[in-house]
Amino acid sequence: MKVAYLVLFLSITTQVSCPSAGLHEKGDNKITDPFMRVSYCELIRNPSAYDGKKVRIAATYRSGYEWSELYDPDCFDFERRTWVEFENLNAESRRVLEDLRTERSEGRTLSVTFAGIFESSTGVYGHRNDYKYLLKVSNVDQAEFLFEGSKLPTRKE
């Protein structure tokens, strides 16, 4: 009986101390995320640091007749807005967006987490080249309806 306990003890400690031994529990196999998680405020404070990089951003997305943009009310700056384009979305990302989009001209506002490539080098993006930055979204991680319409937040004084 003591031998059985010893074998069980050694088996358990080997699995704990050697991750490649035995069954892997969730989280043991680490997959490298190619997207760097960054706050939207950090992104627009230091755009050159993220230019051309794959980023994952949680922010507010507003879309409508002539706009498709990201912002964060905590650091909203009309002069430093980010235009959003969607490229090579997977089926699930397309479904999420289709479920939440509207054809109404006043648009819709969503809370989102997008992953994509950030661009800031030319500073002329979007409708009428009114946007300083661009996010080419390739994955929609999360999107949640906030409200109908898509008024910009007021400028903070």
Side-chain angles (χ1 to χ4, degrees):
M1 188 69 161
K2 289 182 182 179
V3 173
Y5 284 122
L6 180 60
V7 170
L8 178 62
F9 174 76
L10 290 174
S11 173
I12 291 170
T13 57
T14 302
Q15 287 182 0
V16 170
S17 64
C18 182
S20 62
L23 297 175
H24 296 285
E25 292 183 13
K26 187 176 182 179
D28 282 353
N29 292 328
K30 294 184 180 174
I31 299 172
T32 303
D33 185 355
F35 295 94
M36 177 184 343
R37 188 170 292 276
V38 61
S39 75
Y40 181 77
C41 294
E42 167 63 18
L43 189 73
I44 66 166
R45 280 187 200 112
N46 298 299
S48 61
Y50 301 99
D51 188 35
K53 303 269 183 359
K54 291 182 175 184
V55 295
R56 185 175 310 280
I57 303 167
T60 303
Y61 171 64
R62 67 181 213 108
S63 64
Y65 177 64
E66 294 178 336
W67 57 92
S68 174
E69 67 181 348
L70 281 181
Y71 69 90
D72 184 325
D74 291 337
C75 58
F76 180 74
D77 181 344
F78 189 80
E79 303 303 320
R80 302 174 77 193
R81 296 181 296 156
T82 303
W83 183 259
V84 175
E85 293 178 358
F86 298 95
E87 292 186 349
N88 305 316
L89 291 176
N90 61 34
E92 178 62 17
S93 293
R94 280 193 308 273
R95 185 197 61 75
V96 168
L97 282 180
E98 287 169 8
D99 286 350
L100 292 171
R101 280 195 171 160
T102 182
E103 297 299 319
R104 297 169 54 170
S105 63
E106 67 273 9
R108 185 169 270 180
T109 302
L110 310 172
S111 172
V112 299
T113 303
F114 287 157
I117 297 175
F118 180 72
E119 292 184 12
S120 66
S121 53
T122 69
V124 288
Y125 304 102
H127 181 66
R128 295 177 36 209
N129 294 326
D130 283 344
Y131 295 80
K132 192 164 182 116
Y133 312 120
L134 171 68
L135 182 66
K136 294 180 182 176
V137 175
S138 58
N139 195 43
V140 178
D141 295 341
Q142 174 269 332
E144 179 182 329
F145 172 79
L146 291 177
F147 52 87
E148 292 295 339
S150 54
K151 286 181 63 177
L152 277 173
T154 58
R155 294 179 196 215
K156 292 191 175 189
E157 301 300 324

